[in-house]
Amino acid sequence: MIDTLSKVWLRLRNRHFFVADAVIFLLTPALALALRLDKLFVYRVYGTDVLIVTAGFLIVKILLLYQFGFYRRCWRYASIDELIQVVASMAAVVIVQTWLFYVLYYTTDL
């Protein structure tokens, strides 16, 4: 069992991480809103806004992570330098995402 699991992990490539990230980035806004409201949110109230923000944030995250080389590295041999680059790239994503949220909030009717 453990040997099989380790073989599966060793066969994962960056394209698999890309797809996993995209799926996670698509699900997290709706899950965060459901946790915040202590129930599943009503689609009629928040659905359109959540979809707009999710699409915008997905594009921003994927583009920035790709620009930082997040999906071109060999993660099997990652070191402290890669950890620093991951932290820096995620900080940049959060900053741009926060800026985008405020732009959307103050310029549209979200």
Side-chain angles (χ1 to χ4, degrees), residues 18-37:
F18 177 81
V19 170
D21 283 348
V23 169
I24 290 169
F25 295 156
L26 283 172
L27 294 176
T28 51
L31 291 174
L33 189 59
L35 285 173
R36 170 65 175 92
L37 297 177

Side-chain angles (χ1 to χ4, degrees), residues 67-80:
Q67 287 294 327
F68 277 102
F70 202 75
Y71 300 111
R72 293 185 297 245
R73 301 205 179 280
C74 181
W75 292 107
R76 186 183 302 175
Y77 305 109
S79 66
I80 297 298

Side-chain angles (χ1 to χ4, degrees), residues 48-57 60 96-110:
T48 310
D49 297 337
V50 170
L51 288 176
I52 291 169
V53 169
T54 300
F57 286 178
V60 167
V96 171
Q97 189 172 307
T98 303
W99 176 80
L100 179 64
F101 178 78
Y102 282 114
V103 167
L104 285 173
Y105 184 76
Y106 289 113
T107 60
T108 63
D109 205 16
L110 284 179

